[in-house]
Amino acid sequence: MITNAKIAIVFTAEILGGHELMAINHLKRFVKKGFDITCFSPSNNPKLINLLEVASLDFYSHNVLHKKMEIIHAFINLKHIYRSVYLLRKLRSEYDYIVIVQGDIELGAGFINASKILGMQKVVSYIPYTHSFKKMGSKAAFIKDFLSQFVYRNCCHYITICNTFSEQLIEKNGNAAVRVLTNFVASPTESKQCPTVLEHFTEPKVFRLLVAGRVFFRQKGQDTLINALCRVKYSSAIQLDIIGDGPDLEKLKLLAKKLPGNIVANFLGWKNNVWEFAKNIDVIIIPSNYEGVPLIMLEALKRNVPIIAPARDGMLDYINTECLYSTGGPEFECQALSDKIDYFIDHKFKR
C-alpha cells in the first residue's frame, strides 16, 4: 500500500508559483491521512522553504538548481546531470517513490533524464500542463520542443491536473500511466467571504480591478492588461491593484505610467493571502497567455467574485462564457480584453 511507503517530493523551481502552492495543499492533506512524506526544496527558493515551515512539512534543501535553458542542460551539461543523478541515487536508497514537481517539462528535466539513466521505475512527474514552448513564447522554442519529446518519454508515471492534459500526456508518451489530481482551494470562513456577485457592484464612483500572480509577461500577460486598459472607453475612475512580484515587475511599473489619468495602478508587492486585499474589488482579471487551472480563479469562484479571463485552458472548464474574452493574436486579445472590461464597467454603473 502506498500509505505505507516513504515518499520524497522534489521541488525544482526557484519561484513559488501556483503549482508549488497546490502541491503543498495536497501534501498537507496526504500527511493528515497518514502518508510518510518528506520534501526537498531548492536551496535558492526562500519563499518555498518558508511555506514548508509554516505548513509543518518535513523538508530538506538541495542544490540541483534551475538553470536558464534547463532542458538543454539536462542533455549536455555533465555537471548538472551528475548532480541530478547523485541526488536521485541517494533518495532511491531511502524512499519508495520520488515525485518531481515540474512547473513545466523543462523544470526538473535533469531529474527525469537522471531517472532514465538510473533505470528507476518509481519516479513520478507532477506536472500541471503540456503546452509547447512555441505556444509559451519561450526562447529557443524549436530546440526545447525537440528535446522535450525525449523528456516526456523518459518518465512513465505522471500526475496532472485535468483530463485535457492527461490526454495530451498519453499522446506524448503512449506507455505513460497518468492520474488526474484536480486542483482545489479551501472554502473561506464566513468572515473572509467576499460578497456574492449580485452584491458586488455597490460603490458607484470607482471600478476596482485586481490582478495577482507572478509578474511574468510571457505567461501571465500583465502587459496585455495595461494595454487593454489604455483602450477602455469609459472615463470613470478605475483602480487597478497589482499583487505579486517577478522578473517583469519594473517593466510593468514603467508600462503603467502610460495609463490614462482616470486609472490608478497600485503595486502591493507579493502577499501570502491575496484575499485580505480583495474585499472591495469588483473583478479579478486573469490575462494569462497560457495556464493550467489557476488557483486565483478557484479562490475567486469560492468567494463568488466575478472573473475576467481568456477563453483557454482550465478557464474554459470553470468560468461562465459571459466572463471569458476571445483568444487570438496579441492585438486581438488586447482589444477583446478591453471590450470585456468595458462591458463589466457598463454593468456596474447601470446597476
Side-chain angles (χ1 to χ4, degrees), residues 209-213 222 225 240-244 283-287:
L209 306 171
L210 174 68
V211 60
Q222 292 95 341
L225 173 58
L240 172 63
D241 289 338
I242 301 167
I243 292 179
V283 178
I284 292 283
I285 306 282
I286 304 175

Side-chain angles (χ1 to χ4, degrees), residues 165-348:
F165 296 125
S166 174
E167 293 168 1
Q168 291 176 8
L169 283 167
I170 292 172
E171 288 178 5
K172 294 176 182 296
N173 182 349
N175 296 319
V178 185
R179 292 190 177 185
V180 174
L181 187 64
T182 55
N183 286 358
F184 75 95
V185 293
S187 296
T189 61
E190 193 64 30
S191 62
K192 294 181 180 178
Q193 181 79 41
C194 285
T196 65
V197 174
L198 293 178
E199 296 170 335
H200 229 78
F201 300 129
T202 55
E203 167 57 53
K205 296 180 180 179
V206 181
F207 189 74
R208 294 179 171 87
L209 306 171
L210 174 68
V211 60
R214 188 180 184 219
V215 184
F216 183 46
F217 292 170
R218 198 172 78 199
Q219 179 183 6
K220 298 299 184 179
Q222 292 95 341
D223 55 333
T224 300
L225 173 58
I226 297 296
N227 290 329
L229 285 171
C230 289
R231 302 182 183 191
V232 167
K233 297 175 183 177
Y234 285 83
S235 58
S236 309
I238 297 174
Q239 177 179 312
L240 172 63
D241 289 338
I242 301 167
I243 292 179
D245 57 18
D248 291 328
L249 180 59
E250 294 306 315
K251 290 181 184 178
L252 184 60
K253 290 180 178 179
L254 187 62
L255 194 60
K257 293 181 179 180
K258 294 170 47 181
L259 289 169
N262 64 307
I263 303 177
V264 176
N266 297 322
F267 289 85
L268 305 180
W270 189 82
K271 303 296 181 184
N272 281 321
N273 185 0
V274 168
W275 300 103
E276 291 180 3
F277 303 86
K279 294 175 182 177
N280 296 315
I281 61 98
D282 292 306
V283 178
I284 292 283
I285 306 282
I286 304 175
S288 300
N289 296 314
Y290 59 91
E291 277 291 354
V293 176
L295 295 188
I296 188 70
M297 176 187 72
L298 298 179
E299 291 170 346
L301 291 170
K302 284 279 188 180
R303 292 163 171 80
N304 296 314
V305 178
I307 304 167
I308 295 176
R312 60 161 57 96
D313 302 330
M315 283 78 85
L316 289 169
D317 294 333
Y318 289 86
I319 301 177
N320 187 293
T321 55
E322 187 180 26
C323 299
L324 297 172
Y325 61 89
S326 300
T327 59
E331 179 68 18
F332 179 87
E333 288 194 18
C334 183
Q335 187 59 53
L337 175 54
S338 180
D339 292 342
K340 187 63 70 173
I341 294 171
D342 273 329
Y343 171 82
F344 270 71
I345 292 174
D346 183 48
H347 183 69
K348 171 177 178 172

